[in-house]
Amino acid sequence: MKKSIITQKIIAKAFKDLMQSNAYHQISVSDIMQTAKIRRQTFYNYFQNQEELLSWIFENDFAELINDNLDYYGWQNELLLLLRYLDENQIFYQKIFVIDKNFQHFFLIQWENLLDKVIFDQEKKSDYHWSDLEKSFICRYNAAAICAITKESIIRGNSLEKLYSPIVNLLLAQIKIFES
């Protein structure tokens, strides 16, 4: 890991820690850097402002969870890791859904990426060849539904890991219907 990535992660963790007990608009760059135990000016070596830090957190965390691991884990393990991550960071994401309206679109795209992996993995296991329309439909349809239900669970403070079995069962049933 490069030093710059390590520093960014330290800054991001400090910000997430502060979000556990503070409102977003109450957190200053000075607060973040004091929590990170890093000089205030260092923040600006990596981020222009807190909004850019927030975007970096989304992209980095989800890239590590979904995009970087898709080839190493099966989609079911990947789904479980994502749900556990969201549970562990639930307060942070509760606040993010309220303050950042663009996050929901980003969140939806991440679910689409994971569901695309589901279809890719399934195609390798079966003789069925999915058309582009079928892939697009099942990914977008399920991503929208899963995004909505996980967002609702986050906002209500419910466990997302409990959604694991219903999501897996639903996806497997839908795949079976398409492949019949």
Side-chain angles (χ1 to χ4, degrees):
M1 214 182 257
K2 294 180 183 176
K3 184 178 182 205
S4 63
I5 298 295
I6 292 170
T7 303
Q8 287 171 306
K9 286 184 177 223
I10 291 169
I11 293 169
K13 182 177 180 338
F15 179 66
K16 284 176 159 180
D17 289 349
L18 287 166
M19 286 281 289
Q20 295 295 313
S21 57
N22 299 289
Y24 174 79
H25 67 276
Q26 295 174 328
I27 301 170
S28 68
V29 170
S30 294
D31 295 333
I32 296 167
M33 299 311 284
Q34 187 174 20
T35 300
K37 296 181 174 60
I38 300 174
R39 275 183 337 111
R40 182 180 183 276
Q41 186 55 38
T42 303
F43 180 91
Y44 299 103
N45 294 340
Y46 298 97
F47 309 104
Q48 290 181 7
N49 51 42
Q50 288 169 251
E51 290 78 22
E52 190 174 302
L53 169 59
L54 201 53
S55 292
W56 185 87
I57 290 170
F58 301 155
E59 291 171 16
N60 182 69
D61 286 0
F62 284 92
E64 282 184 4
L65 280 165
I66 298 175
N67 302 331
D68 293 352
N69 291 325
L70 281 177
D71 294 332
Y72 301 108
Y73 300 112
W75 68 268
Q76 292 180 10
N77 289 332
E78 196 64 35
L79 172 63
L80 186 57
L81 288 172
L82 178 58
L83 294 173
R84 285 179 177 164
Y85 165 80
L86 292 169
D87 273 340
E88 290 166 8
N89 293 279
Q90 196 168 67
I91 293 171
F92 176 75
Y93 285 105
Q94 284 173 347
K95 292 178 180 183
I96 295 309
F97 276 119
V98 172
I99 63 166
D100 190 339
K101 302 302 177 198
N102 294 323
F103 178 69
Q104 184 161 338
H105 178 71
F106 175 82
F107 195 55
L108 176 64
I109 299 300
Q110 299 312 307
W111 282 113
E112 287 178 3
N113 290 342
L114 181 56
L115 293 170
D116 191 48
K117 172 63 173 167
V118 171
I119 301 303
F120 179 78
D121 283 356
Q122 192 59 33
E123 269 190 314
K124 290 191 303 188
K125 295 177 186 174
S126 77
D127 295 331
Y128 186 76
H129 179 71
W130 291 72
S131 73
D132 289 342
L133 180 62
E134 289 171 326
K135 286 180 194 179
S136 176
F137 176 79
I138 200 165
C139 288
R140 292 179 69 213
Y141 176 83
N142 285 296
I146 294 169
C147 181
I149 197 75
T150 54
K151 176 186 174 188
E152 181 182 321
S153 293
I154 289 168
I155 290 170
R156 290 183 177 189
N158 297 334
S159 170
L160 278 87
E161 190 171 344
K162 290 180 180 179
L163 298 173
Y164 174 76
S165 291
I167 292 171
V168 169
N169 292 337
L170 175 71
L171 291 173
L172 291 174
Q174 288 179 349
I175 287 168
K176 190 175 184 177
I177 290 169
F178 271 89
E179 292 182 342
S180 326

